[in-house]
Amino acid sequence: NEGNEYFREKDYGRAVAAYSEGLRRRSGDAALDAVLLTNRAAAHFHLGNYRSALNDAIQAKKLKPTHLKAIIRGALCHMELKNFLEAIAWCEEGLQIDSKEKKLVEIRAKADKLKLEGTFLGTQTDFSTHCQGRAVMGTDLLCKRNIKLVLEPSDEEEEVTDGLAEMSLDGFHSDSATGAKVHLDADGNLNWPVLFLYPEHEQTDFTVAFHEHSRFIDHLMVMFAELPPWDLEKKYLPNNLELYFEDEEREEMYEVNPEHTLLQVLQHERYFVKAGTPTVLVFAKRSPFSKKYFSGKKVHRL
């Protein structure tokens, strides 16, 4: 019930935490656990955590194979992940239970169309537009958002000073260690792979699909709903964290407001997306490590 209340308030991070707490209580009721998993999947979905949402939908379906809400959520996740064949399979499974389920019929038709056309943004390789005098492979979505991109220069190329280069939406991800791609969802919003770095512990977190209008605090609430095993001092709590990005060209650090959305950060005049994956550094507030880390560096604080 607490999770549902948070969900209604669109506080999806706290909804995930509440549903997770419900699951940890181990009710022994498979139907209840299926509902908790499906609800958590919906909250993850709204945060752009499509793989986490899909995992929950899979577990819910195992507990209750006829649970249509889990099947619908799983199909929607596959759509966002551009797994159109899998989305079709989930729809067909659900339609065997209820052949008139409107949502599954709609998803099935859309998956068929996209599979045939192959024109979903994340799978296209040749679009062309012009942005600030440079040809950019892709639509004008990034230009309109004032998002600046950088490719790692090869030995023969100089780094692009204005942060833009010729690229394809597939190509500019090919050098990314994560292998994930930015993609456009059904509502016309961009979802980015985002890398979180924890310099103090030499650890990382990776979000496959960070919705551009999601706030950082929403993701922190989910990521740190439980303390990570490496946080022996129990400092890494959602409200005890500071976020920064680094301007490598000027060797300066900029603090990020956790209440800001990803898009707000990407639009900062000194933020450049490298190799298709936005990166944020995370520190515990007022920690001796962060004081030492920032010593001698110019830091732009909030």
Side-chain angles (χ1 to χ4, degrees):
N1 289 338
E2 183 180 321
N4 291 346
E5 186 62 33
Y6 284 132
F7 193 95
R8 281 190 290 271
E9 295 171 357
K10 298 185 179 180
D11 192 343
Y12 301 118
R14 284 190 172 89
V16 167
Y19 294 136
S20 298
E21 180 62 27
L23 288 163
R24 278 195 290 272
R25 298 296 174 92
R26 301 185 184 280
S27 69
D29 184 335
L32 175 58
D33 285 348
V35 170
L36 286 165
L37 285 162
T38 302
N39 289 359
R40 189 171 72 176
H44 271 308
F45 187 90
H46 283 283
L47 287 169
N49 301 331
Y50 301 125
R51 293 195 184 279
S52 295
L54 178 58
N55 288 336
D56 279 348
I58 290 170
Q59 292 304 314
K61 188 157 68 79
K62 285 181 180 177
L63 289 172
K64 188 178 178 183
T66 60
H67 193 33
L68 279 176
K69 285 188 177 180
I71 293 172
I72 291 170
R73 184 61 57 191
L76 287 169
C77 290
H78 278 304
M79 289 294 289
E80 295 295 343
L81 294 167
K82 300 175 292 298
N83 302 330
F84 302 128
L85 288 174
E86 289 86 346
I88 291 169
W90 277 63
C91 288
E92 289 180 344
E93 186 176 348
L95 290 169
Q96 287 179 3
I97 299 167
D98 182 353
S99 62
K100 296 180 181 179
E101 171 52 56
K102 184 179 178 182
K103 191 67 177 177
L104 289 173
V105 172
E106 290 175 354
I107 298 170
R108 175 73 163 80
K110 187 173 182 180
D112 267 332
K113 184 172 182 286
L114 291 170
K115 177 173 66 74
L116 290 171
E117 291 179 356
T119 55
F120 199 71
L121 177 63
T123 59
Q124 287 179 323
T125 55
D126 279 322
F127 298 93
S128 188
T129 187
H130 213 69
C131 184
Q132 298 183 11
R134 286 188 184 273
V136 179
M137 301 305 290
T139 68
D140 61 352
L141 292 172
L142 300 180
C143 297
K144 286 180 178 178
R145 286 165 167 78
N146 193 29
I147 296 174
K148 297 167 287 296
L149 304 170
V150 166
L151 280 180
E152 295 291 346
S154 65
D155 293 338
E156 298 82 19
E157 297 173 340
E158 295 181 0
E159 189 161 359
V160 181
T161 56
D162 64 2
L164 295 169
E166 286 191 9
M167 63 191 72
S168 70
L169 286 172
D170 275 348
F172 95 78
H173 288 284
S174 60
D175 296 328
S176 169
T178 63
K181 304 172 188 290
V182 59
H183 70 275
L184 191 71
D185 66 22
D187 297 320
N189 298 305
L190 290 176
N191 292 262
W192 292 84
V194 175
L195 190 62
F196 293 84
L197 305 178
Y198 308 100
E200 181 174 2
H201 297 278
E202 298 182 350
Q203 298 287 332
T204 63
D205 267 327
F206 179 60
T207 298
V208 173
F210 195 132
H211 191 288
E212 63 181 342
H213 295 304
S214 285
R215 302 176 305 165
F216 278 89
I217 188 62
D218 294 328
H219 281 268
L220 294 176
M221 291 294 292
V222 175
M223 291 158 57
F224 293 97
E226 297 181 1
L227 286 171
W230 42 262
D231 181 22
L232 300 179
E233 297 178 36
K234 299 182 179 180
K235 296 185 298 185
Y236 283 72
L237 303 170
N239 294 317
N240 191 46
L241 301 176
E242 291 181 343
L243 310 180
Y244 295 84
F245 70 83
E246 186 170 8
D247 181 345
E248 294 183 8
E249 182 182 340
R250 297 182 179 178
E251 298 183 348
E252 297 175 357
M253 303 288 293
Y254 288 82
E255 188 175 1
V256 172
N257 186 340
E259 298 291 333
H260 280 181
T261 65
L262 175 61
L263 181 59
Q264 286 176 294
V265 174
L266 296 185
Q267 289 176 330
H268 190 283
E269 61 180 357
R270 295 306 305 170
Y271 197 100
F272 297 90
V273 179
K274 298 188 71 173
T277 304
T279 301
V280 176
L281 290 83
V282 184
F283 300 86
K285 287 181 180 178
R286 297 176 294 278
S287 70
F289 177 87
S290 65
K291 290 179 182 177
K292 183 177 179 181
Y293 186 91
F294 293 124
S295 177
K297 294 180 180 171
K298 184 173 182 180
V299 182
H300 300 267
R301 297 192 182 275
L302 296 173

